Amino acid sequence: MVKKIHRFITDFTNNAGIVMVADQSVIHQINRVLKLHPGEQVIIGKGDGLEILAKIVKTRKEAIYFEPQQNVKNENEPVRRVTLYCSILKKENFETAAQKATEVGVFKMVPIISQRTVKTDIKPERLKNIIKEASEQSGRGIVPELGEILVLEEALNIAKENNAAIFLEPSGTDFLQLGKKIKTVSVFIGPEGGWTDEEISMAKKAGFKVVSLWPLIMKAETVVAVASYLVIHSPID
């Protein structure tokens, strides 16, 4: 069985043929959690799609040193870039949504406040860490950006800049097939209580396609994963 090569997205230095990582979270992961030893290989990147296949040389409390073996370009990123505008969800549901959106390939995630949003704040640093870990685990070469919190009207105006804009709503028309040349898409997902009629009307006036996945009712965090995957991975030139 081929042994898994662990991937880390972090800052590092590369001088005189030695790569050094001083990020304490990575050091803890390698030394305490994964218990990796000198001679084992890892993949290290800064989140820009360029990575290094490297061998652990020595581990210390303050830093880990690697011998670079091969420069690699990460080819796992989707061609279509999706910005997910997701209403802030209750409790840990929004964290789950961020994790799953990252795993399926979302390029950017923007928290939004709608009329039925119950929770109106997030923990940005915790969310960024969840997104980073999901990027590493899923083999991505970048870390999706976490945008600032926006109210729905602001988000609708910004989202129109992409090639296509989708507003998910159970009463909408059947889920559309995107044109093959559509490279950037905005996807809106509402709160647990759904969008109000006023918000749906606002989206239509802004030129958004109001669509439904299918008749079954799903939790918002499930919709995030399913809808994002369908939009990102539908055929493209």
Side-chain angles (χ1 to χ4, degrees):
M1 184 175 70
V2 178
K3 186 175 181 180
K4 177 181 178 180
I5 298 179
H6 295 280
R7 173 180 273 101
F8 301 96
I9 299 176
T10 185
D11 194 23
F12 60 85
T13 60
N14 187 0
N15 297 315
I18 293 294
V19 172
M20 184 188 76
V21 172
D23 183 335
Q24 285 298 314
S25 64
V26 174
I27 293 171
H28 175 77
Q29 187 78 359
I30 289 176
N31 287 340
R32 301 294 184 182
V33 179
L34 299 173
K35 300 185 186 302
L36 300 181
H37 302 288
E40 296 192 74
Q41 290 180 316
V42 299
I43 295 173
I44 307 170
K46 293 186 177 182
D48 57 3
L50 301 177
E51 300 173 330
I52 298 174
L53 176 66
K55 181 174 66 175
I56 299 174
V57 175
K58 60 181 177 180
T59 62
R60 297 289 185 269
K61 290 182 179 180
E62 71 282 357
I64 297 182
Y65 300 86
F66 305 85
E67 176 190 329
Q69 297 183 310
Q70 184 181 353
N71 292 326
V72 181
K73 182 178 180 181
N74 189 299
E75 302 285 358
N76 296 335
E77 287 303 309
V79 174
R80 181 174 287 135
R81 290 188 170 187
V82 167
T83 300
L84 176 67
Y85 293 85
C86 184
S87 295
I88 300 174
L89 307 174
K90 298 177 185 176
K91 298 180 181 178
E92 71 280 356
N93 294 351
F94 195 72
E95 295 178 356
T96 300
Q99 180 188 56
K100 299 309 175 187
T102 301
E103 290 174 357
V104 300
V106 162
F107 181 72
K108 180 178 180 179
M109 185 171 184
V110 181
I112 59 173
I113 296 175
S114 57
Q115 292 180 20
R116 290 176 177 159
T117 300
V118 175
K119 184 178 179 181
T120 57
D121 65 326
I122 59 173
K123 296 179 179 178
E125 292 309 312
R126 177 173 169 81
L127 273 172
K128 288 177 182 178
N129 190 52
I130 288 170
I131 290 170
K132 175 178 172 291
E133 289 180 355
S135 295
E136 293 172 339
Q137 184 273 330
S138 58
R140 296 191 63 175
I142 69 163
V143 178
E145 179 185 350
L146 177 66
E148 297 292 327
I149 297 175
L150 299 175
V151 297
L152 179 60
E153 188 172 4
E154 291 176 315
L156 289 173
N157 288 330
I158 294 171
K160 290 189 292 186
E161 297 175 1
N162 281 337
N163 298 150
I166 297 171
F167 198 83
L168 285 166
E169 158 59 28
S171 65
T173 58
D174 290 343
F175 194 81
L176 74 167
Q177 291 294 320
L178 293 170
K180 290 185 177 181
K181 294 184 179 180
I182 299 296
K183 299 291 180 68
T184 58
V185 185
S186 300
V187 177
F188 279 70
I189 294 175
E192 288 91 345
W195 304 111
T196 64
D197 290 342
E198 180 184 353
E199 289 170 331
I200 296 170
S201 177
M202 191 187 305
K204 289 179 178 178
K205 287 179 181 178
F208 281 59
K209 300 290 186 182
V210 178
V211 299
S212 171
L213 286 176
W214 48 62
L216 296 178
I217 303 299
M218 296 179 288
K219 291 184 177 180
E221 59 269 33
T222 305
V223 175
V224 165
V226 174
S228 297
Y229 182 88
L230 290 174
V231 172
I232 292 167
H233 298 287
S234 60
I236 191 168
D237 286 340

